[in-house]
Amino acid sequence: DVQMTQSPSSVSAYVGDRVTITCRAGRGISTYLAWYQQKPGKAPKLLISGASSLQSGVPSRFSGSGSGTDFTLTISSLQPEDFATYYCHQAKSSPPTFGGGTKVEIK
Amino acid sequence: EVQLVESGGGLVQPGGSLRLSCAASGFTVSGSYMSWVRQPPGKGLEWLSVIYGGSYIDSADPVKGRFTISRDDSKNTLYLQMSGLRAEDTAVYYCVRDFNDYYFGYWGQGTLVTVSS
C-alpha cells in the first residue's frame, strides 16, 4: 500500500493568512493525487484532482502542486468558510489511500 | 444532479451482519466506479471496496472475506453486505461515485454503523 503522510496534523491561522499543507507519498504516484475538504458532520468534498486541477466551483484561492512524492495544497487567503479538515488521497494504485488529515483552525 | 442516499446503518452486535444501501440518481451506477469509504468517529478516511462494469470488484484487505460490494442496476442502487462485524468497524460509511475514474467525486451523506454489545 502507498502510505500518505500529511503535515501538519493541525494548523491555527487568522482569516487572510496563507496556509500550506503538505502530503508525501511513500513512493512515486505521478500526479494521481486529490485533495478533499471536510467540515464537521459533512461528507468530504473534492477540491483538487490530478494534483493541481481545481474542481468546478472551488474558489481560486485554493491551489495544488507537486508530482512524484511531494505535494502541497495552498490556501492563499484563508476565509471563514475554509476552516475544516483537509485530506490528500493517492489514486495511482490500489488500494487508494488517504493522508491522516490536517485540521485548519481559527487563531 | 448526482445524488447518493445511504441507508441501513444502525446498532449491531459484534459478530452480526448488516446491509447498507445507496440509492443513486442523476447517473447510472453501472457506468461508474462506485466505492464505499468509511470514517471511524473522530478519525480519518478509509477506502473499503469498489465495483465497476460487468465484473470488476476490488476490496481492502481488512474487509476482504467479510464485506461484499454489489449493485442492482434495475434499482440503480449500490450495496455493502457486512458480516462478522467488529467494534473497529464502527464508523460512518459513505457511498462514493468516481470523478474521472480515479477520484472520489460525489459523496452521499453517510450512514453510521455502530458495533457494540
Side-chain angles (χ1 to χ4, degrees):
Chain A
D1 298 6
V2 180
Q3 182 89 358
M4 303 300 291
T5 304
Q6 261 182 262
S7 61
S9 56
S10 66
V11 58
S12 292
Y14 293 104
V15 171
D17 281 353
R18 181 183 185 88
V19 172
T20 298
I21 299 167
T22 65
C23 184
R24 175 162 289 175
R27 62 175 184 263
I29 59 169
S30 184
T31 57
Y32 289 93
L33 184 105
W35 291 98
Y36 302 84
Q37 177 193 65
Q38 186 178 33
K39 296 183 179 179
K42 299 293 186 183
K45 172 187 173 184
L46 177 64
L47 296 179
I48 288 171
S49 62
S52 60
S53 295
L54 209 61
Q55 290 301 104
S56 175
V58 174
S60 59
R61 62 182 179 273
F62 290 91
S63 64
S65 65
S67 67
T69 60
D70 294 314
F71 302 86
T72 60
L73 171 70
T74 300
I75 309 172
S76 60
S77 176
L78 200 64
Q79 297 302 301
E81 60 267 31
D82 302 336
F83 292 95
T85 300
Y86 295 83
Y87 294 93
C88 61
H89 149 230
Q90 70 81 19
K92 172 65 174 173
S93 62
S94 186
T97 46
F98 294 90
T102 297
K103 187 173 184 179
V104 177
E105 299 175 297
I106 300 173
K107 199 167 190 177
Chain B
E1 181 193 6
V2 172
Q3 281 200 316
L4 298 164
V5 180
E6 300 97 335
S7 60
L11 177 63
V12 60
Q13 291 191 335
S17 298
L18 208 58
R19 188 178 81 158
L20 305 183
S21 300
C22 171
S25 58
F27 72 102
T28 57
V29 294
S30 61
S32 301
Y33 286 88
M34 297 297 300
S35 290
W36 288 97
V37 173
R38 71 181 176 185
Q39 185 171 37
K43 296 191 176 181
L45 301 165
E46 179 185 23
W47 172 82
L48 299 177
S49 195
V50 64
I51 186 169
Y52 176 72
S55 60
Y56 178 73
I57 288 176
D58 192 14
S59 297
D61 285 346
V63 302
K64 271 180 184 170
R66 296 193 302 127
F67 292 8
T68 301
I69 193 171
S70 64
R71 66 173 196 252
D72 184 332
D73 294 344
S74 68
K75 295 182 179 179
N76 211 33
T77 298
L78 180 73
Y79 301 101
L80 186 67
Q81 179 68 49
M82 304 185 293
S83 61
L85 284 162
R86 308 164 181 164
E88 55 265 35
D89 295 318
T90 294
V92 174
Y93 286 72
Y94 293 103
C95 164
V96 189
R97 179 202 160 183
D98 75 282
F99 171 78
N100 279 2
D101 294 348
Y102 296 99
Y103 305 105
F104 301 122
Y106 306 89
W107 298 66
Q109 85 285 356
T111 188
L112 177 63
V113 173
T114 303
V115 184
S116 174
S117 55

